[in-house]
């Protein structure tokens, strides 16, 4: 009996082992879940692209804008050559070449791609040369271009990262380093001295700019020579007509924000006009302010720098009106006859603050 029971148990254990060794059936694979993105609208013929802001589409790019701005300065360059001769050509060429070589050397040292083809270094050298007196030494042009590119642009990280306008920063460096050479002026070779200031003796106007004559000798210059450009001054700031032509070209192409030159020039006319109406024998007229010095050059080609000017509409008005107010204060009450360089540089420094307090509210953002 016991033998039979043992045999039965053995048989049962063998059967259970056989059952356990049988392969189990695999569970069916779960059905893939539907991607909810498949329900989104997909335009036919082009992929759906997701990207971060800003969501603007334009055919313009940095090289195109830079070369267009340089092209817009062509009338001013032609005027400089006509009024001051081949020395102007030599100064402009040297300044541009020094700026481009400096840009190339620094990008190679930083192991960054060459950026000469974007035209920014070319434009910086050109603008710097146009802000210099015709008698300024060529070696000074080289030094100013090196400073403008190295300290004004590349030290901040290159194009788009600079705080101040590089060309104006280079000019400020030269103004502090060579104050006498930066304030030594000559009259254009075709200057009509009788038409320049009327009954004034030629000895009294030799080498002076209209703003210098007004500041130090209380002599008002006629508006016609200012408009044509047959007056003393920097290479590119003499002819108001040439600068207006280039500035209008930029505004038509929309490569400059029209609010900045309008706000800059308009505030100078308004603030200067107030003082002129109070005492026209002491203070110049608004037209004199607009046509003299480097105001048109700065308003159209330097204050409109996309990198160093505000990005909001309200900010551009604050920026341009503030520059105009500073300019009038310096011209009328400061120790220097000109104030375009300082007015733009000071507002460049305030641009981050202006952007911060004039940015539009986010959707749903509560007031602080």
């Amino acid at each position: 009996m016991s033998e039979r029971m043992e045999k039965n148990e053995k048989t049962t254990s063998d059967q259970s082992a056989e059952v356990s060794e049988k392969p189990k059936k695999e569970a069916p694979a779960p059905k893939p879940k539907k991607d909810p993105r498949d329900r989104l609208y997909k335009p036919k013929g082009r992929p759906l692209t997701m990207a971060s802001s800003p969501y603007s589409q334009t055919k313009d790019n940095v090289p195109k804008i830079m070369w267009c701005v340089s092209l817009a300065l062509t009338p001013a360059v032609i005027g400089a050559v006509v009024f001051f001769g081949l020395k102007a050509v030599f100064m402009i060429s040297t300044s541009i070449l020094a700026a481009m070589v400096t840009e190339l050397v620094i990008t190679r040292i930083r192991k960054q791609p060459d950026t000469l083809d974007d035209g920014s270094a070319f434009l910086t050298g050109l603008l710097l040369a146009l802000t210099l007196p015709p008698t300024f030494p060529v070696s000074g042009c080289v030094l100013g271009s090196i400073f403008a590119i190295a300290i004004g642009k590349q030290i901040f990280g290159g194009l788009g990262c600079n705080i101040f306008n590089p060309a104006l920063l280079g000019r400020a460096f030269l103004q502090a380093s060579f104050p006498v050479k930066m304030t030594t002026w000559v009259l254009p070779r075709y200057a009509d001295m009788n038409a320049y200031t009327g009954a004034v003796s030629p000895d009294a106007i030799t080498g002076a700019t209209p703003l210098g004559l007004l500041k130090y000798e209380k002599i008002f210059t006629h508006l016609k020579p200012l408009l044509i450009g047959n007056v003393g001054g920097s290479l590119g700031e003499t002819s108001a007509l040439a600068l207006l032509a280039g500035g209008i070209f930029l505004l038509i192409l929309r490569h400059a924000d029209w609010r900045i030159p309008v706000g800059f020039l308009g505030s100078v006319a308004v603030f200067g006009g107030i003082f002129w109406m109070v005492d026209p024998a002491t203070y110049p007229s608004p037209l004199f302010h607009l046509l003299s010095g480097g105001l048109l050059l700065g308003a159209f080609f330097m204050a409109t720098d996309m990198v160093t000017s505000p990005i909001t509409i309200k900010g551009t008005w604050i920026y341009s009106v503030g520059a105009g107010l500073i300019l009038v204060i310096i011209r009328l009450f400061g120790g220097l006859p000109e104030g375009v360089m300082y007015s733009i540089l000071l507002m460049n420094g305030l641009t981050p603050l202006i952007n911060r307090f004039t940015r539009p509210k986010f959707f749903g953002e509560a007031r602080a």
Side-chain angles (χ1 to χ4, degrees):
M1 186 66 180
S2 62
E3 291 178 356
R4 184 181 293 178
M5 291 177 63
E6 290 178 357
K7 188 177 180 179
N8 291 337
E9 291 176 356
K10 187 177 180 180
T11 304
T12 304
S13 62
D14 292 341
Q15 290 176 350
S16 62
E18 289 178 359
V19 170
S20 63
E21 289 177 357
K22 287 183 178 178
K24 296 181 180 179
K25 291 184 178 178
E26 295 181 356
K31 295 182 178 178
K33 295 182 179 179
K34 292 185 178 179
D35 192 344
R37 292 175 295 181
D38 295 338
R39 298 180 179 177
L40 296 176
Y41 170 72
K42 294 180 180 180
K44 296 180 180 179
R46 60 177 183 177
L48 180 62
T49 303
M50 302 295 290
S52 59
S53 60
Y55 305 108
S56 62
Q57 292 185 353
T58 175
K59 295 180 180 179
D60 294 334
N61 50 44
V62 172
K64 180 181 177 182
I65 294 174
M66 291 296 169
W67 289 117
C68 282
V69 175
S70 300
L71 181 63
L73 286 167
T74 302
V77 172
I78 294 175
V81 176
V82 170
F83 293 127
F84 299 107
L86 292 179
K87 177 69 182 301
V89 179
F90 197 50
M91 287 179 61
I92 293 172
S93 303
T94 305
S95 181
I96 292 174
L97 182 62
M100 296 182 71
V101 170
T102 305
E103 175 96 349
L104 180 63
V105 170
I106 293 180
T107 51
R108 292 290 175 85
I109 292 175
R110 295 179 58 210
K111 298 181 180 178
Q112 298 290 324
D114 293 341
T115 54
L116 290 182
D117 56 348
D118 66 13
S120 60
F122 181 94
L123 180 60
T124 299
L126 176 58
L127 283 173
L128 175 65
L130 293 179
T131 62
L132 298 178
T135 57
F136 199 70
V138 176
S139 58
C141 297
V142 175
L143 192 59
S145 294
I146 294 173
F147 188 90
I149 296 295
I151 306 300
K153 178 181 173 184
Q154 289 294 336
I155 199 171
F156 293 102
L159 182 64
C161 302
N162 51 295
I163 300 174
F164 302 100
N165 184 288
L168 283 180
L169 205 61
R171 190 187 191 281
F173 168 72
L174 295 177
Q175 179 77 45
S177 303
F178 309 99
V180 177
K181 294 185 182 300
M182 287 292 289
T183 53
T184 301
W185 311 95
V186 295
L187 296 178
R189 50 184 176 178
Y190 303 117
D192 183 357
M193 296 183 181
N194 292 326
Y196 197 69
T197 57
V200 179
S201 168
D203 293 337
I205 62 172
T206 301
T209 66
L211 289 172
L213 285 172
L214 177 65
K215 171 68 73 175
Y216 303 117
E217 304 181 36
K218 303 301 179 185
I219 298 174
F220 289 89
T221 303
H222 294 171
L223 295 181
K224 184 178 178 181
L226 290 174
L227 189 64
I228 298 173
N230 208 11
V231 295
S234 299
L235 289 178
E237 68 180 31
T238 57
S239 176
L241 284 178
L243 293 169
L244 281 172
I248 293 172
F249 173 74
L250 274 186
L251 296 183
I252 292 174
L253 293 181
R254 297 186 178 182
H255 290 333
D257 190 342
W258 62 270
R259 301 174 187 85
I260 294 179
V262 169
F264 199 174
L265 300 175
S267 59
V268 170
V270 170
F271 295 131
I274 293 173
F275 288 99
W276 174 68
M277 287 189 292
V278 172
D279 188 0
T282 303
Y283 300 111
S285 66
L287 275 178
F288 178 86
H289 278 297
L290 296 177
L291 299 179
S292 61
L295 177 56
L296 292 176
L297 180 66
F300 283 107
F301 297 97
M302 294 179 174
T304 54
D305 182 8
M306 297 180 181
V307 179
T308 58
S309 59
I311 59 175
T312 62
I313 294 177
K314 188 187 297 181
T316 55
W317 288 115
I318 296 174
Y319 168 84
S320 56
V321 173
L325 178 61
I326 294 173
L327 171 67
V328 172
I329 292 174
I330 293 177
R331 281 188 176 182
L332 298 184
F333 307 106
L336 297 173
E338 180 62 284
V340 174
M341 176 181 68
Y342 294 109
S343 62
I344 296 177
L345 287 178
L346 285 173
M347 295 311 295
N348 285 164
L350 292 177
T351 294
L353 199 61
I354 295 173
N355 283 333
R356 178 180 177 182
F357 288 103
T358 59
R359 70 168 176 81
K361 299 289 184 184
F362 295 118
F363 179 73
E365 182 181 6
R367 293 183 179 275

